[in-house]
Amino acid sequence: MLSSRGKRRWSRIAALAIAPALVLGACGGDDESSSSSDKTPVRLQLQWFAQSQFAGYYVALDKGFYAEEGLDVSILEGAVDIVPQQVLGSGQAEFAISWVPKSLASREQGIAITDIGQVFQRSGTLQVSWKDSGPATVADLAGTKIGNWGFGNEFEVLAGLRQAGLDPEQDVELIQQNFDMQALLNREIDSAQAMIYNEFGILLQTENPETGDLYSKDLFNVINWNDEGTAMLQDAIWAGTDWLKDEKNQETAVKFLKASYKGWAYCRDNVAECAEIVVKYGSALNKVHMEYMMNEVNALIWPSPQGIGIVDSALWEQTVSIATDSALITKDPGADVYRNDLSEKAIAELEEDGIDVKGSSYSKPEFDIKAAIGG
């Protein structure tokens, strides 16, 4: 479970940019002893600190999948004050991980970037409340204090409210919350925003001071925006639109996608090992949380009916529609905002190698946090 010291550390990490981006070179992989001088240097900018949300990339680095493709990859960690789209647009990285709606806003502001790999097929955003007192449905949110992070993370809940006939400006009170879930735990708000793979796991690792036991899922109401029809696409691999006009860069992109997808397929089948790898690369959170996160992240990727990284056009249109209705963007982002051809080439090569790129038979296993902790 998270100790009070661990909670304070989590709060600091969530609230502050505690360090500049950490560059992790392509060391520790299977090709560690070989020279990287003949490999193509590539930088990947993450949108947050090292955690299992990005496990596929760390595993591709650690297992030498990038090296096998002739790439010398450096992974740049994110932080509160780092905007991956801006790093990408300024030429300080070849690839970046970012949520689709935030990247659409950046494009409209003049940053020419293209989604070349839609890794997350589903949204991981939840609205969580106490079952004994909180709202159980979107309609129940009327007249309540709704916690959210702001900074573009609130558009799914706003769209959900409007869909339920509620006016976000009059029918609810929107409260900016921290990432540590303390506002919900202290009952200062009626519901809290939580990523299913992160903050919801923080709740489940928190000790109930009244019983000394960990909080369990059955104590909470959960609104999942995928079920409500207002989910927006999240983690995707982006590259510079102009950079992609060079055929050589397109070849590099296919190699990067191929190795990354191989990493994600490995994580689907090796949850515990991939969690350990993320911890090795500097995660500030414990292995139990990384394993919990890995399990939940897999369920956002798999199954991928068309193959990992392929954009689902219906979900894309839904994301654009919500972004437009919420005034995040003012117009359609254009035809070059995403492309599937590079991912299609990458997954075709992986299929030739016998890699399962769809995960059609995938079913999320149960992960018992209490048992994992040893309680």
Side-chain angles (χ1 to χ4, degrees), residues 114-133:
T114 298
D115 181 346
I116 62 170
Q118 187 56 54
V119 177
F120 281 19
Q121 297 287 304
R122 287 159 282 282
S123 167
T125 313
L126 309 174
Q127 200 68 22
V128 183
S129 66
W130 291 103
K131 188 162 284 187
D132 62 10
S133 61

Side-chain angles (χ1 to χ4, degrees), residues 105-344:
S106 294
R107 273 181 57 96
E108 193 161 287
Q109 293 163 8
I111 300 177
I113 54 176
T114 298
D115 181 346
I116 62 170
Q118 187 56 54
V119 177
F120 281 19
Q121 297 287 304
R122 287 159 282 282
S123 167
T125 313
L126 309 174
Q127 200 68 22
V128 183
S129 66
W130 291 103
K131 188 162 284 187
D132 62 10
S133 61
T137 68
V138 180
D140 293 339
L141 290 169
T144 68
K145 295 180 179 179
I146 300 177
N148 68 91
W149 300 313
F151 303 108
N153 295 292
E154 71 273 23
F155 294 108
E156 289 169 307
V157 66
L158 295 179
L161 290 169
R162 294 191 188 99
Q163 181 175 271
L166 300 174
D167 184 340
E169 294 185 2
Q170 297 184 14
D171 297 330
V172 301
E173 184 178 355
L174 297 173
I175 306 241
Q176 189 162 342
Q177 67 180 67
N178 289 327
F179 292 89
D180 58 13
M181 303 305 285
Q182 288 301 306
L184 180 67
L185 288 168
N186 295 333
R187 299 181 184 262
E188 297 165 7
I189 55 178
D190 297 301
S191 67
Q193 191 168 51
M195 301 309 298
I196 193 170
Y197 53 77
N198 209 352
E199 290 77 20
F200 193 56
I202 294 292
L203 287 178
L204 302 179
Q205 290 184 69
T206 301
E207 185 180 288
N208 182 342
E210 295 181 2
T211 66
D213 227 348
L214 300 185
Y215 288 116
S216 58
K217 289 182 181 180
D218 59 7
L219 295 176
F220 301 100
N221 293 316
V222 174
I223 296 173
N224 188 319
W225 300 114
N226 295 290
D227 299 332
E228 302 298 329
T230 61
M232 302 177 82
L233 289 170
Q234 297 181 345
D235 288 31
I237 301 172
W238 296 80
T241 306
D242 294 333
W243 183 82
L244 288 169
K245 292 177 181 177
D246 188 318
E247 286 190 17
K248 221 171 196 182
N249 292 338
Q250 290 183 38
E251 292 173 5
T252 297
V254 171
K255 293 175 181 179
F256 179 80
L257 292 172
K258 180 182 177 182
S260 298
Y261 295 163
K262 187 175 180 180
W264 282 117
Y266 191 89
C267 288
R268 178 191 62 216
D269 303 329
N270 301 275
V271 170
E273 181 186 352
C274 288
E276 289 178 354
I277 289 172
V278 173
V279 171
K280 182 177 79 171
Y281 277 88
S283 172
L285 298 174
N286 60 52
K287 180 183 178 296
V288 169
H289 189 67
M290 286 303 95
E291 194 167 343
Y292 165 85
M293 184 184 290
M294 187 72 261
N295 198 51
E296 294 295 337
V297 164
N298 274 335
L300 300 180
I301 301 172
W302 312 104
S304 292
Q306 302 176 74
I308 182 172
I310 301 300
V311 173
D312 181 300
S313 59
L315 287 175
W316 184 273
E317 290 170 9
Q318 178 173 295
T319 300
V320 171
S321 176
I322 293 171
T324 305
D325 292 344
S326 300
L328 179 64
I329 57 175
T330 62
K331 58 185 178 182
D332 188 283
D336 64 351
V337 66
Y338 78 84
R339 55 189 294 181
N340 283 328
D341 60 317
L342 303 177
S343 281
E344 287 169 348

Side-chain angles (χ1 to χ4, degrees), residues 26-33 61-64 281:
C27 58
D30 293 343
D31 271 52
E32 188 172 12
S33 59
L61 177 64
D62 192 76
K63 293 289 182 182
Y281 277 88

